[in-house]
Every structure is written in structure tokens, then in C-alpha cells.
Amino acid sequence: VSEASRSASETAALLVEALPHIRRFADSVVVVKYGGSTIGNTQGAPDGGLASFAQDIALVRSVGLRPVVVHGGGPQIGAMMQRLGKVAEFRNGLRVTDAETLDIARMVLVGKVNREIVAAINVHGALAVGLSGEDANLIQAAQRDDDLGFVGDVVGVDTTMLTNLLDQHLVPVVATVGTDAAGQSYNINADTAAGAIAEALVAEKLIFLTDVEGIRADPDVPGSLLHELSAAELDGLVASRVASGGMVPKAQACARAVRAGVAGAHILDGRVPHALLVELFTDGGVGTMVRP
Ligand SMILES: Nc1ncnc2c1ncn2[C@@H]1O[C@H](COP(=O)(O)OP(=O)(O)OP(=O)(O)O)[C@@H](O)[C@H]1O
Ligand SMILES: [Mg+2]
């Protein structure tokens, strides 16, 4: 068998393998959280992977799924704070968000990161529309704790605008700033917001693209990836602190979402090019899958 013919038959086999998955997911809502730590961090991609992520989202949309992108931006906010000479303040390990920090976070999330993702997706057609959670009361928030300043919890999600965009075959790209009933804005954890949006839309899937291959049984051992977990097992990993730091809001969002009717939640390595496509359209799963 020559090199060319082998690769042609392999390519054909892959396309055939994708078909049942494409049919199964027709019209399904898939909420994809693109981690701030993943943006610009994909292996072997000259632009850090934004273009390949955008291509994947365009493809997912083109074959009939309804993707919603929710993005983070922690490192990008940190970098801007540093450029502006603003020193971050932490209380009990959590970033204090004063009015100035909120301004910076909002400018970076809505004005920079959101725009970059939207522009990258729209290279493939008039697909993406950027939103802040402030738009049409998408993310309704309440202050978490006086000590932390303008950090909010999600208290409600109004999906009207998202549903309208999805019905128009557009791809909403959401920056996770929320507002309370008085119009005050809050910075919202993007994992929590992605989970709440997936729940509100009763999405078929909630997928986190992050900077690790999934949830590990031992956070320091790369080979200890947990392939499949129940919501109860996830709760246990948070309680025992096996999942810590940035993994906690993801684990909690996955557990909540599957209990609320989202069929599957996944934590994947966003540094691996096209991890999203491999998860959605091939028989073999990658990363950690969470089932009810
Ligand atoms: N059990 C665990 N398995 C794997 N990673 C873990 C575990 N516990 C904690 N972590 C940490 O969680 C991190 C992923 O969360 P992190 O908040 O850093 O990324 P992100 O949410 O994708 O990006 P961003 O917060 O910028 O949007 C990993 O890099 C790892 O350090
Ligand atoms: Mg995080």
C-alpha cells in the first residue's frame, strides 16, 4: 500500500466515523468554555491556536450543531493590570476586584479577548456575535462577598438573546461580566457562567478547553488522568481537594450541569489542536467525561 492511498483510506475512514456523531448532534446546543490560559497556548500553532479553535467552532456550526462559546481571560487581565502598574490584591487567595480592577477586567474581556475570538471565527463567514453577560440581561449577578468587591455569583440567566442568535445560525461568544438588578456590573467566573448557561439552555454538552489534559487523580502526575466520572465522584474530588484551584469551578459546573439535564460534560486539553473535534466526532473520547 502506497503512502498516499493509505492516508486516503484512513481519511475516508475518519469521515465515515464522524457521520453518526454528526447526525446524533444535529441541532444540539454545545457550550464550549475556552480558557484564558488556553488562548495562545496551543502546541505547535504559530498564533497560539486561536485560528485552529476558530476553525473548529466554524466546522461544528457548519455540520449543524449550535455552539455557544464562553471565554475566560485571567492571564490577559493580569497582563493588562501589570502594564497599567496596578498591583493585584488577594484575600484568602481570591483576587479583590475594586472598581478600577472591574474596569480593567471588563475592558480586557469584552474589548479585547471577546473581539479577538469573534474576529477569528468570522474569518470563516459571518458567524460569530460577541456578547457580554450584561447584554439583554444574559447573566444576572449578585455580589458574592463585600470583601472581594465586584466579584459576582450567577443568580439567573436570560437565554432569550442566545436562543435568537442560535436560531439565526449565529455563534454567540460570551464574555462573563454580569449585572445586578441595579445595573452594577460584576466579574463572573467563566467556568461558573458556562455551566449556568449550559444548564439554562439544557445543552447537549458542556465542554471545557483548559491547559491540562483533564482531571487527574494526582494533580502532579500527568499519567493519572480520570477518563470518566459521575457527578458524585466529582463532588468527592473537590471535597478531598484532589481538584483544587482553577479545577474547582470546572468540577462544580460539570457536576451541576449533568444533574440539571446536560447529557455530558467534558474537560479537555485545549493545548492539543482540534481536541474539540476529536471529542465530538470520533468514537474515542479524550480528557475527562462527566456523566450524571
Ligand atoms: N486534579 C486536578 N487535575 C488537573 N488539574 C488540576 C487539578 N487540580 C487543580 N488543577 C489545576 O487546574 C488548572 C486549570 O484551571 P485554570 O483556571 O488554570 O485554567 P482555565 O480555567 O482553563 O483558564 P482561565 O481561568 O484563565 O479561564 C490546571 O492547570 C491545574 O493546575
Ligand atoms: Mg480558570
Side-chain angles (χ1 to χ4, degrees), residues 33 35-37 189-191 210 245-247 249-250:
K33 191 264 181 165
S37 58
N189 180 285
D191 297 334
T210 185
M247 196 51 78
K250 272 182 257 301

Side-chain angles (χ1 to χ4, degrees), residues 33 35-37 72 74-75 210-212 214-216 242-244 246-247 250:
K33 191 264 181 165
S37 58
T210 185
D211 65 349
V212 62
I215 301 186
R216 296 172 178 171
V242 167
S244 65
M247 196 51 78
K250 272 182 257 301

Side-chain angles (χ1 to χ4, degrees), residues 122-272:
N122 287 341
V123 164
H124 304 282
L127 295 168
V129 175
L131 298 171
S132 159
E134 298 157 300
D135 290 314
N137 291 343
L138 170 59
I139 300 175
Q140 296 146 23
Q143 187 171 40
R144 176 176 300 177
D145 176 345
D146 235 7
D147 276 358
L148 290 177
F150 299 109
V151 174
D153 287 318
V154 181
V155 295
V157 174
D158 186 330
T159 58
T160 313
M161 178 58 79
L162 289 182
T163 309
N164 286 343
L165 292 171
L166 291 172
D167 286 344
Q168 300 295 316
H169 305 296
L170 293 164
V171 179
V173 179
V174 181
T176 60
V177 180
T179 39
D180 67 16
Q184 173 62 52
S185 295
Y186 298 90
N187 190 8
I188 309 286
N189 180 285
D191 297 334
T192 312
I197 288 170
E199 250 180 74
L201 290 169
V202 199
E204 181 69 22
K205 277 186 185 291
L206 168 63
I207 297 176
F208 290 93
L209 294 176
T210 185
D211 65 349
V212 62
E213 68 280 359
I215 301 186
R216 296 172 178 171
D218 181 337
D220 299 323
V221 179
S224 67
L225 174 70
L226 297 167
H227 294 276
E228 200 171 328
L229 293 168
S230 67
E233 286 170 329
L234 258 189
D235 293 344
L237 292 176
V238 173
S240 64
R241 304 193 184 194
V242 167
S244 65
M247 196 51 78
V248 172
K250 272 182 257 301
Q252 290 171 334
C254 288
R256 260 194 76 147
V258 296
R259 286 187 173 115
V262 174
H266 301 260
I267 298 170
L268 313 180
D269 196 338
R271 299 167 307 173
V272 176

Side-chain angles (χ1 to χ4, degrees), residues 7 39 58 63 79 82 97 102 110 128 143 157 175 192 265 277 286 291:
S7 102
I39 304 171
V63 297
Q82 208 167 17
T97 303
L102 174 68
V110 183
Q143 187 171 40
V157 174
T192 312
L277 300 184
V286 286
R291 290 196 180 286

Side-chain angles (χ1 to χ4, degrees), residues 36-52:
S37 58
T38 313
I39 304 171
N41 206 9
T42 299
Q43 287 149 8
D47 72 328
L50 180 57
S52 107

